[in-house]
Amino acid sequence: RMPSIFSYQSAEVDWCEGNFEHSAVIAEYYNTVSAGAPEGRAGTSLLLPGLFSVYFHMTLSYVGQLLDELSILWTLAVAYSFWYPKVYFPRFIKSRKHFFWLTGITTVISTLMSFIKPAFNAYVLNCIAFHLLYLTWQELKKCKDKRVHRMAAVMVMWWVLAISSWLSDRFLCGLWQAINFPYFHSFWHVLIAMSLLYCCPLVIYFDVRYEMPSFEPKLGYWPSDSWPVVVPYVALEEAHKQC
C-alpha cells in the first residue's frame, strides 16, 4: 500500500543527518532546530517558510517537503511582485499590475509542476539566487556608495558559504557520515538566513532609490559599525543622491 503523504519519511529527499538519533518524534534534530532559529532575525516574511521547514525536517513527510519548498517559491514571488525594479521589466510588460499577473501565472504553473517532481524544486529555487546576484551587480555598477558595495559583498560571502554547505550535504554525504559530522544542511539554514539579513536592506535601499526619489537611503549597522555581530538597516534622509 502507498504510504500516506503525511507519514514520517514519505518525502522524496532525506538529508545527510541521521534520522531519529536524538528524538523519537523528530527525524532530523539539528536540521529541525536550525530551520526555526534564524527566521526571526531575517524578517517576518520568512515566518511561514521557517515553520514549514521545521515541520518538514521534523517529519520528512511528502506534505512537509511540498510546504517547505512552495512556501519559499511563493515568498520569492511576492518579493518579485512588489520590489522587482520597473527598469528591468520585460518590454511587453507596461505596468506593475501586468507584472503581478506575469509573476502570479508563472508561480501557479511552477506550483503545479512541483507536484510532478518535488525533489527538483530545491535546485530551481537555488538557481533564482543567481538572478538576484545579477540584479545586485547591475545596481552596484550604478552606485558609488562604499557602504552599499560592502553590504553586497558580505551578503555574497554568506550566500557562498550557505550554498557550499547545501551542496556539500547533498553530494558529499558519505564523507561527512564517515567522519561523523553530517550537519552541513543545518549550517545552510543559519548561513542563508545571515545572507538574507543583508539582502533585505539592499532590496529596500534600491527600491527607495526607484520609488521614493525625494529621499536618500542610507545603509547603517545596529548597534555600531565596529561590532562583530550587527543588524543592517536603512535610514531615509532628504534627497542628496550619491548614486
Side-chain angles (χ1 to χ4, degrees), residues 15-17 28-36 57 183 185-186 189:
W15 300 99
C16 196
E17 183 184 352
E28 297 176 337
Y29 182 82
Y30 288 104
N31 285 349
T32 300
V33 172
S34 63
H57 290 291
Y183 305 118
H185 192 76
S186 63
H189 288 152

Side-chain angles (χ1 to χ4, degrees), residues 209-239:
R209 286 184 56 219
Y210 282 114
E211 303 296 333
M212 303 173 66
S214 60
F215 290 94
E216 170 66 21
K218 297 284 187 181
L219 293 177
Y221 298 93
W222 183 88
S224 169
D225 287 16
S226 59
W227 282 47
V229 179
V230 295
V231 177
Y233 65 90
V234 179
L236 299 183
E237 299 179 358
E238 291 298 325

Side-chain angles (χ1 to χ4, degrees), residues 4 53 147 190 210:
S4 167
S53 184
R147 279 179 169 259
V190 176
Y210 282 114

Side-chain angles (χ1 to χ4, degrees), residues 131-166:
H131 185 242
L132 293 174
L133 291 173
Y134 168 76
L135 291 176
T136 302
W137 173 248
Q138 292 296 106
E139 289 301 312
L140 290 178
K141 290 193 296 184
K142 307 174 187 177
C143 184
K144 296 182 175 62
D145 191 330
K146 291 182 179 180
R147 279 179 169 259
V148 177
H149 286 258
R150 174 191 170 191
M151 189 170 290
V154 175
M155 176 194 74
V156 172
M157 178 197 72
W158 287 118
W159 177 79
V160 169
L161 292 173
I163 196 63
S164 298
S165 297
W166 192 91

Side-chain angles (χ1 to χ4, degrees), residues 8-30:
Y8 274 77
Q9 296 179 280
S10 58
E12 287 190 345
V13 295
D14 190 352
W15 300 99
C16 196
E17 183 184 352
N19 298 329
F20 303 106
E21 291 185 347
H22 303 281
S23 170
V25 296
I26 299 176
E28 297 176 337
Y29 182 82
Y30 288 104

Side-chain angles (χ1 to χ4, degrees), residues 45 71-90 93 95-107 124-136 196 199-200 203-204 207 211:
S45 62
S71 64
I72 297 172
L73 172 64
W74 280 87
T75 298
L76 286 170
V78 170
Y80 266 72
S81 296
F82 283 99
W83 293 300
Y84 192 78
K86 293 179 182 178
V87 68
Y88 299 116
F89 281 3
I93 298 295
S95 67
R96 177 71 63 178
K97 182 179 179 180
H98 292 163
F99 188 72
F100 282 166
W101 278 103
L102 175 64
T103 306
I105 292 170
T106 303
T107 306
V124 176
L125 290 173
N126 276 319
C127 286
I128 295 176
F130 290 102
H131 185 242
L132 293 174
L133 291 173
Y134 168 76
L135 291 176
T136 302
L196 288 171
C199 178
C200 292
V203 171
I204 295 170
D207 185 65
E211 303 296 333

